[in-house]
Amino acid sequence: MSPLATPVRAHTVSPRRPVPPEIPRPEYVDRPAPAPFTGSEVKDAETIEKMRAAGRLAAQARDLVGAAVEPGVTTDELDRIGHEFLCDHGAYPSTLGYRGFPKSLCSSVNEVVCHGIPDSRRIEDGDIVNIDITAYLHGVHGDTNATFLAGDVDEESRLLVERTREALARGIKAVKPGRRINVIGRVIESYAARFGYGVVRDFTGHGIGTHFHSGLIVPHYDDAAHDTLIEVGMTFTIEPMLNLGTADWVMWPDDWTVVTGDRRRSAQFEHTLLVTPTGAEVLTLP
């Protein structure tokens, strides 16, 4: 399959899936915007333990949904799998009702950079599919994503996916207390430049904990303006988006779906991290 095959188009979005009433909701559900974050980016021991549980569950959901990525399945069916898994384990799917988002995960196919809305489109042979899913459990969020291959994927796209995974791994290795947050993007951008990939700038990693997104910004490129000191106990995501071509993007009329400006493919991987005295602990492992 060519990486320029069949452009992704919007399809039918099914009705919102219900969440059992006994599962606690984040405060922002069905409100225009979340409440401002006023806490510390450094978490206490109790919050960290809760985040380990939420991160583990999110990772399990990510991998379960990813295992179902194959030609013929709809992205809406992938959403159902993730939704039911989280609800069955007492967690709320964090994206559902966040600023009006209608689904329980983001499914971003081929040239979709991020925030794709699951719908009736069937995955095609040769597609690459990012699954971004977040669990809200015990009052905290665990956020993760990965890009999966469907069927016979061309070499250029397969390498993009492998190298984006490696870019995340290198970003994680750069995390050390006492360094500045922009070291992460410096490492990612330097690695991506080897292959001529576009590094998406306008969508970043973020602080996370009791809030889905706190005020902390984690750029994936070298940005002197974001030089927050990395401290032990901080929790945040790293989630690089690398494109085969331009880093520019276009937003669909749904105000969520972001596609590459040249419609070439994009891949992404994400983990939620805890800063430790020696580096980073990945919280979103199954």
mmCIF file of all heavy atoms in Angstrom, residues 136-160:
data_model
loop_
_atom_site.group_PDB
_atom_site.id
_atom_site.type_symbol
_atom_site.label_atom_id
_atom_site.label_comp_id
_atom_site.label_asym_id
_atom_site.label_seq_id
_atom_site.Cartn_x
_atom_site.Cartn_y
_atom_site.Cartn_z
ATOM 1 N N TYR A 136 -9.517 7.397 33.821
ATOM 2 C CA TYR A 136 -9.712 8.191 35.039
ATOM 3 C C TYR A 136 -10.133 7.222 36.135
ATOM 4 O O TYR A 136 -11.220 6.644 36.101
ATOM 5 C CB TYR A 136 -10.781 9.255 34.805
ATOM 6 C CG TYR A 136 -11.052 10.136 36.001
ATOM 7 C CD1 TYR A 136 -10.135 11.097 36.416
ATOM 8 C CD2 TYR A 136 -12.247 10.015 36.724
ATOM 9 C CE1 TYR A 136 -10.392 11.916 37.505
ATOM 10 C CE2 TYR A 136 -12.518 10.833 37.814
ATOM 11 C CZ TYR A 136 -11.589 11.781 38.197
ATOM 12 O OH TYR A 136 -11.856 12.588 39.273
ATOM 13 N N LEU A 137 -9.256 7.031 37.100
ATOM 14 C CA LEU A 137 -9.452 6.022 38.133
ATOM 15 C C LEU A 137 -8.975 6.575 39.467
ATOM 16 O O LEU A 137 -7.870 7.114 39.557
ATOM 17 C CB LEU A 137 -8.658 4.753 37.775
ATOM 18 C CG LEU A 137 -8.792 3.547 38.686
ATOM 19 C CD1 LEU A 137 -10.196 2.948 38.594
ATOM 20 C CD2 LEU A 137 -7.744 2.482 38.325
ATOM 21 N N HIS A 138 -9.811 6.461 40.492
ATOM 22 C CA HIS A 138 -9.456 6.939 41.838
ATOM 23 C C HIS A 138 -9.055 8.419 41.825
ATOM 24 O O HIS A 138 -8.162 8.851 42.563
ATOM 25 C CB HIS A 138 -8.331 6.104 42.448
ATOM 26 C CG HIS A 138 -8.616 4.629 42.481
ATOM 27 N ND1 HIS A 138 -9.820 4.111 42.911
ATOM 28 C CD2 HIS A 138 -7.847 3.564 42.116
ATOM 29 C CE1 HIS A 138 -9.776 2.777 42.825
ATOM 30 N NE2 HIS A 138 -8.604 2.431 42.342
ATOM 31 N N GLY A 139 -9.691 9.176 40.928
ATOM 32 C CA GLY A 139 -9.484 10.622 40.931
ATOM 33 C C GLY A 139 -8.270 11.124 40.176
ATOM 34 O O GLY A 139 -7.966 12.318 40.239
ATOM 35 N N VAL A 140 -7.593 10.233 39.435
ATOM 36 C CA VAL A 140 -6.426 10.652 38.645
ATOM 37 C C VAL A 140 -6.507 10.039 37.245
ATOM 38 O O VAL A 140 -7.239 9.075 37.010
ATOM 39 C CB VAL A 140 -5.086 10.248 39.311
ATOM 40 C CG1 VAL A 140 -4.934 10.909 40.671
ATOM 41 C CG2 VAL A 140 -4.978 8.732 39.424
ATOM 42 N N HIS A 141 -5.713 10.604 36.316
ATOM 43 C CA HIS A 141 -5.703 10.161 34.925
ATOM 44 C C HIS A 141 -4.398 9.448 34.582
ATOM 45 O O HIS A 141 -3.326 9.839 35.045
ATOM 46 C CB HIS A 141 -5.845 11.362 33.995
ATOM 47 C CG HIS A 141 -7.086 12.158 34.193
ATOM 48 N ND1 HIS A 141 -8.249 11.929 33.484
ATOM 49 C CD2 HIS A 141 -7.360 13.209 35.023
ATOM 50 C CE1 HIS A 141 -9.178 12.795 33.866
ATOM 51 N NE2 HIS A 141 -8.663 13.587 34.796
ATOM 52 N N GLY A 142 -4.505 8.440 33.734
ATOM 53 C CA GLY A 142 -3.347 7.800 33.104
ATOM 54 C C GLY A 142 -3.545 7.851 31.609
ATOM 55 O O GLY A 142 -4.562 7.360 31.095
ATOM 56 N N ASP A 143 -2.601 8.435 30.873
ATOM 57 C CA ASP A 143 -2.779 8.787 29.461
ATOM 58 C C ASP A 143 -1.685 8.129 28.627
ATOM 59 O O ASP A 143 -0.497 8.227 28.955
ATOM 60 C CB ASP A 143 -2.703 10.316 29.342
ATOM 61 C CG ASP A 143 -3.040 10.860 27.973
ATOM 62 O OD1 ASP A 143 -3.454 10.083 27.096
ATOM 63 O OD2 ASP A 143 -2.884 12.083 27.772
ATOM 64 N N THR A 144 -2.094 7.465 27.531
ATOM 65 C CA THR A 144 -1.114 6.757 26.716
ATOM 66 C C THR A 144 -1.624 6.596 25.292
ATOM 67 O O THR A 144 -2.837 6.611 25.057
ATOM 68 C CB THR A 144 -0.795 5.370 27.305
ATOM 69 O OG1 THR A 144 0.244 4.739 26.552
ATOM 70 C CG2 THR A 144 -2.018 4.469 27.325
ATOM 71 N N ASN A 145 -0.710 6.457 24.346
ATOM 72 C CA ASN A 145 -1.124 6.087 22.996
ATOM 73 C C ASN A 145 -0.016 5.326 22.288
ATOM 74 O O ASN A 145 1.149 5.359 22.704
ATOM 75 C CB ASN A 145 -1.619 7.298 22.195
ATOM 76 C CG ASN A 145 -0.537 8.218 21.677
ATOM 77 O OD1 ASN A 145 0.392 7.796 20.993
ATOM 78 N ND2 ASN A 145 -0.656 9.510 21.987
ATOM 79 N N ALA A 146 -0.409 4.649 21.212
ATOM 80 C CA ALA A 146 0.548 3.917 20.382
ATOM 81 C C ALA A 146 -0.022 3.814 18.982
ATOM 82 O O ALA A 146 -1.240 3.873 18.780
ATOM 83 C CB ALA A 146 0.810 2.524 20.950
ATOM 84 N N THR A 147 0.863 3.647 18.006
ATOM 85 C CA THR A 147 0.465 3.501 16.613
ATOM 86 C C THR A 147 0.631 2.041 16.207
ATOM 87 O O THR A 147 1.694 1.448 16.401
ATOM 88 C CB THR A 147 1.293 4.421 15.706
ATOM 89 O OG1 THR A 147 1.112 5.780 16.139
ATOM 90 C CG2 THR A 147 0.855 4.301 14.259
ATOM 91 N N PHE A 148 -0.429 1.483 15.636
ATOM 92 C CA PHE A 148 -0.483 0.074 15.270
ATOM 93 C C PHE A 148 -0.582 -0.079 13.751
ATOM 94 O O PHE A 148 -1.093 0.803 13.050
ATOM 95 C CB PHE A 148 -1.693 -0.591 15.944
ATOM 96 C CG PHE A 148 -1.644 -0.536 17.445
ATOM 97 C CD1 PHE A 148 -2.246 0.516 18.133
ATOM 98 C CD2 PHE A 148 -0.983 -1.506 18.175
ATOM 99 C CE1 PHE A 148 -2.199 0.589 19.522
ATOM 100 C CE2 PHE A 148 -0.920 -1.446 19.566
ATOM 101 C CZ PHE A 148 -1.526 -0.394 20.236
ATOM 102 N N LEU A 149 -0.083 -1.211 13.251
ATOM 103 C CA LEU A 149 -0.069 -1.495 11.819
ATOM 104 C C LEU A 149 -1.236 -2.411 11.459
ATOM 105 O O LEU A 149 -1.508 -3.386 12.171
ATOM 106 C CB LEU A 149 1.243 -2.167 11.431
ATOM 107 C CG LEU A 149 2.542 -1.500 11.896
ATOM 108 C CD1 LEU A 149 3.747 -2.301 11.392
ATOM 109 C CD2 LEU A 149 2.626 -0.061 11.430
ATOM 110 N N ALA A 150 -1.910 -2.099 10.358
ATOM 111 C CA ALA A 150 -3.026 -2.927 9.895
ATOM 112 C C ALA A 150 -2.641 -3.608 8.580
ATOM 113 O O ALA A 150 -2.453 -2.946 7.552
ATOM 114 C CB ALA A 150 -4.279 -2.074 9.702
ATOM 115 N N GLY A 151 -2.492 -4.914 8.623
ATOM 116 C CA GLY A 151 -2.201 -5.651 7.400
ATOM 117 C C GLY A 151 -0.812 -5.386 6.856
ATOM 118 O O GLY A 151 0.162 -5.249 7.610
ATOM 119 N N ASP A 152 -0.703 -5.265 5.540
ATOM 120 C CA ASP A 152 0.578 -5.130 4.843
ATOM 121 C C ASP A 152 0.924 -3.650 4.709
ATOM 122 O O ASP A 152 0.484 -2.978 3.772
ATOM 123 C CB ASP A 152 0.473 -5.798 3.470
ATOM 124 C CG ASP A 152 1.797 -5.783 2.720
ATOM 125 O OD1 ASP A 152 2.849 -5.574 3.368
ATOM 126 O OD2 ASP A 152 1.780 -5.981 1.484
ATOM 127 N N VAL A 153 1.724 -3.153 5.626
ATOM 128 C CA VAL A 153 2.080 -1.728 5.668
ATOM 129 C C VAL A 153 3.380 -1.507 4.903
ATOM 130 O O VAL A 153 4.333 -2.282 5.047
ATOM 131 C CB VAL A 153 2.211 -1.249 7.128
ATOM 132 C CG1 VAL A 153 2.701 0.192 7.206
ATOM 133 C CG2 VAL A 153 0.870 -1.391 7.847
ATOM 134 N N ASP A 154 3.422 -0.438 4.107
ATOM 135 C CA ASP A 154 4.616 -0.152 3.315
ATOM 136 C C ASP A 154 5.804 0.175 4.215
ATOM 137 O O ASP A 154 5.650 0.585 5.369
ATOM 138 C CB ASP A 154 4.350 1.014 2.358
ATOM 139 C CG ASP A 154 4.170 2.317 3.105
ATOM 140 O OD1 ASP A 154 3.059 2.562 3.612
ATOM 141 O OD2 ASP A 154 5.139 3.083 3.212
ATOM 142 N N GLU A 155 7.002 0.002 3.665
ATOM 143 C CA GLU A 155 8.236 0.153 4.437
ATOM 144 C C GLU A 155 8.407 1.571 4.984
ATOM 145 O O GLU A 155 8.840 1.758 6.131
ATOM 146 C CB GLU A 155 9.434 -0.216 3.560
ATOM 147 C CG GLU A 155 10.785 -0.134 4.263
ATOM 148 C CD GLU A 155 11.029 -1.263 5.252
ATOM 149 O OE1 GLU A 155 10.118 -2.112 5.441
ATOM 150 O OE2 GLU A 155 12.122 -1.313 5.830
ATOM 151 N N GLU A 156 8.075 2.579 4.200
ATOM 152 C CA GLU A 156 8.239 3.957 4.651
ATOM 153 C C GLU A 156 7.385 4.232 5.882
ATOM 154 O O GLU A 156 7.842 4.847 6.854
ATOM 155 C CB GLU A 156 7.872 4.924 3.525
ATOM 156 C CG GLU A 156 8.136 6.388 3.861
ATOM 157 C CD GLU A 156 7.797 7.321 2.715
ATOM 158 O OE1 GLU A 156 6.778 7.099 2.038
ATOM 159 O OE2 GLU A 156 8.574 8.282 2.497
ATOM 160 N N SER A 157 6.164 3.748 5.867
ATOM 161 C CA SER A 157 5.270 3.958 7.014
ATOM 162 C C SER A 157 5.713 3.137 8.214
ATOM 163 O O SER A 157 5.658 3.602 9.360
ATOM 164 C CB SER A 157 3.834 3.593 6.639
ATOM 165 O OG SER A 157 3.348 4.408 5.602
ATOM 166 N N ARG A 158 6.149 1.896 7.962
ATOM 167 C CA ARG A 158 6.602 1.042 9.056
ATOM 168 C C ARG A 158 7.808 1.667 9.762
ATOM 169 O O ARG A 158 7.879 1.684 11.000
ATOM 170 C CB ARG A 158 6.955 -0.350 8.520
ATOM 171 C CG ARG A 158 7.286 -1.366 9.603
ATOM 172 C CD ARG A 158 7.737 -2.685 8.997
ATOM 173 N NE ARG A 158 8.964 -2.540 8.231
ATOM 174 C CZ ARG A 158 10.187 -2.439 8.773
ATOM 175 N NH1 ARG A 158 10.330 -2.442 10.090
ATOM 176 N NH2 ARG A 158 11.244 -2.325 8.009
ATOM 177 N N LEU A 159 8.728 2.211 8.988
ATOM 178 C CA LEU A 159 9.887 2.862 9.589
ATOM 179 C C LEU A 159 9.490 4.113 10.372
ATOM 180 O O LEU A 159 10.049 4.393 11.438
ATOM 181 C CB LEU A 159 10.905 3.224 8.508
ATOM 182 C CG LEU A 159 11.719 2.063 7.933
ATOM 183 C CD1 LEU A 159 12.550 2.536 6.741
ATOM 184 C CD2 LEU A 159 12.621 1.444 9.001
ATOM 185 N N LEU A 160 8.533 4.872 9.842
ATOM 186 C CA LEU A 160 8.043 6.040 10.575
ATOM 187 C C LEU A 160 7.523 5.635 11.941
ATOM 188 O O LEU A 160 7.828 6.293 12.957
ATOM 189 C CB LEU A 160 6.933 6.734 9.772
ATOM 190 C CG LEU A 160 6.226 7.885 10.491
ATOM 191 C CD1 LEU A 160 7.156 9.094 10.659
ATOM 192 C CD2 LEU A 160 4.943 8.280 9.738
#
